Amino acid sequence: MLLATVDGASAGLARHFSAAMARLGPFGTPPHLAAAVSGGADSTALALLTRDWAARNQGSLLALIVDHGLRPESGAEAALTATRLAARGIDCKIINLSGLAGPGVQAKARAARYAALAQAALAQGRLHLLLGHHQADQAETVAMRARRGPGGAEGIAAWAARGNVLLLRPLLDVPPAALRAYLAAQSMEWVEDPSNQNLRFERVRIRFEGTGVQPASAAARQEREQEAARFLARHAALRPEGFALLDAPVAPAAALAALLRVIGGNVYAPDQPATAALAARLRPATLAGVRILAAGRLGPGWLLAREPAALAPPVAARRGVLWDGRFTLEAEPPPGQSLGALSDEVKNHKKYNNLPSVVLRTMAALRAADGTLSFPAPVLFTPPSPAAPHPFFSAGQ
């Protein structure tokens, strides 16, 4: 279906893109979208395709260009990309990152990039952030995950929530050659990142090895996610104090994994075999930074609460800071305060909302330099969102 030659590439790919967007919508009327654009061929093609799609729907596009500052030339490349996109009628914003160095730099850069992109998109009132991952990225991701053990060979999701922004990947079944052919047809240039040839990075090694591992079908993944969403809508309640209640003796593994991610404040899914074993028979356990125990006075079923021993250390308090991957400080506190767990001070707040100690001690509190405590802190429970459809959020929040 996809064209891999210059002739007809623009029209054919545009139709395919429109079909993908129809599956990922709705987007509101008119649609105002953001797209992450590195300046490489894939994201540049995404920007042009999204610009045209948005224009046909009386909407708009904002291109977000992240300069990680990892190479001396990265700033000039970001500026060049912004100039090229502006010449094609695309509004741009450059986001500058710093302090990314040392071991695991790619993982650090990825986490910082996603956080900055989501924040910038939301600040501009754009709830949908498009990413340029394509067919080859999908195959490489599957191969990388397959190496991590049984059950890991699953690909990138076409959409996922990140905080209050939806990440959309409309190009997952498009070969990179088709994107380059499309750019050639558009007479559009792009930037080549030399790190894409650096064999120090696992993804690059996978690319050159060509493992041929195929992901689970998109239909199968979608069915699992829908099953998880239906289950969570019926059986789960997510509370703003940072815990969940689950009124079932068993659960779909995908549903339990989503809850563990949210309560544990984790970006990535927990260990699949361990999650599957626990989902088949829910029982008292600790997994992925989450305690599972009988709900007791909170009702029938199970309580999922943050594991106190796994809590993040306190952070300097400022408006918008995220603590423990779960709580965002909504107000600007007085200078010199920190945001962290209530912890042992739970003894002074035992009656708060009739909550058990295991929940209270993991909630966020503000501390002044003299030890004065403010509880509950003015925070919003905003953990990483699960890769499950919307009914989960309506059920829990």
Side-chain angles (χ1 to χ4, degrees):
M1 291 180 60
L2 298 177
L3 300 175
T5 62
V6 172
D7 292 340
S10 295
L13 190 54
R15 287 193 298 271
H16 188 84
F17 184 81
S18 293
M21 293 295 283
R23 293 191 297 271
L24 292 170
F27 300 96
T29 305
H32 296 295
L33 309 173
V37 184
S38 67
D42 316 322
S43 61
T44 300
L46 173 70
L48 296 188
L49 287 163
T50 307
R51 174 204 61 184
D52 293 345
W53 182 90
R56 289 194 298 272
N57 291 276
Q58 293 75 53
S60 66
L61 169 66
L62 173 66
L64 299 175
I65 304 166
V66 176
D67 175 15
H68 299 86
L70 296 175
R71 295 181 290 112
E73 61 273 24
S74 64
E77 291 173 355
L80 175 60
T81 297
T83 298
R84 287 172 173 169
L85 294 178
R88 301 296 179 114
I90 298 174
D91 291 334
C92 305
K93 176 180 175 59
I94 296 176
I95 303 169
N96 296 297
L97 303 180
S98 60
L100 300 173
V105 66
Q106 278 207 325
K108 292 177 184 176
R110 181 172 58 250
R113 176 171 67 251
Y114 277 118
L117 286 168
Q119 183 178 10
L122 195 60
Q124 297 296 320
R126 296 169 190 262
L127 306 182
H128 298 89
L129 174 64
L130 276 64
L131 306 173
H133 296 102
H134 50 62
Q135 189 180 79
D137 294 323
Q138 180 73 288
E140 291 159 11
T141 298
V142 169
M144 290 168 63
R145 291 177 179 173
R147 291 182 171 186
R148 285 152 174 72
E154 191 163 289
I156 308 169
W159 78 267
R162 181 64 60 93
N164 293 319
V165 175
L166 280 177
L167 307 182
L168 307 179
R169 300 178 175 94
L171 303 178
L172 279 178
D173 59 353
V174 180
L179 297 175
R180 283 167 168 72
Y182 169 77
L183 291 178
Q186 299 286 320
S187 300
M188 183 68 176
E189 296 180 289
W190 64 86
V191 173
E192 292 289 358
D193 185 346
S195 66
N196 289 331
Q197 306 296 318
N198 192 332
L199 293 174
R200 289 192 303 113
F201 301 128
E202 181 185 16
R203 181 173 292 276
V204 178
R205 295 195 299 272
I206 290 284
R207 186 176 307 147
F208 280 96
E209 290 169 7
T211 63
V213 178
Q214 296 299 314
S217 73
R221 177 171 187 149
Q222 184 178 31
E223 175 55 33
R224 285 196 301 274
E225 291 178 347
Q226 289 177 345
E227 178 192 15
R230 290 190 294 267
F231 175 87
L232 290 167
R234 291 192 301 267
H235 297 288
L238 185 64
R239 292 281 296 270
E241 295 92 344
F243 70 95
L245 295 170
L246 188 59
D247 65 348
V250 298
L256 181 60
L259 284 174
L260 291 173
R261 281 187 57 208
V262 168
I263 304 305
N266 298 311
V267 174
Y268 299 107
D271 178 80
Q272 292 191 34
T275 302
L278 185 56
R281 184 175 68 85
L282 289 170
R283 56 196 182 277
T286 300
L287 180 61
V290 177
R291 285 190 63 188
I292 301 175
L293 60 160
R297 67 173 182 268
L298 297 181
W302 300 97
L303 165 66
L304 283 77
R306 186 75 166 105
E307 181 188 3
L311 287 166
V315 296
R318 65 179 187 281
R319 184 176 183 179
V321 70
L322 178 68
W323 171 71
D324 197 45
R326 303 181 299 138
F327 291 107
T328 301
L329 188 59
E330 294 191 288
E332 187 64 46
Q337 296 208 348
S338 64
L339 182 68
L342 179 62
S343 194
D344 291 341
E345 283 91 345
V346 67
K347 61 182 179 293
N348 299 318
H349 301 274
K350 289 182 178 180
K351 295 184 179 180
Y352 177 76
N353 280 5
N354 196 35
L355 294 176
S357 174
V358 68
V359 170
L360 289 173
R361 68 187 302 111
T362 65
M363 288 178 58
L366 282 170
R367 286 181 178 79
D370 63 1
T372 302
L373 187 74
S374 299
F375 177 82
V379 295
L380 181 67
F381 180 45
T382 52
S385 302
H390 293 298
F392 174 73
F393 300 104
S394 61
Q397 297 176 340

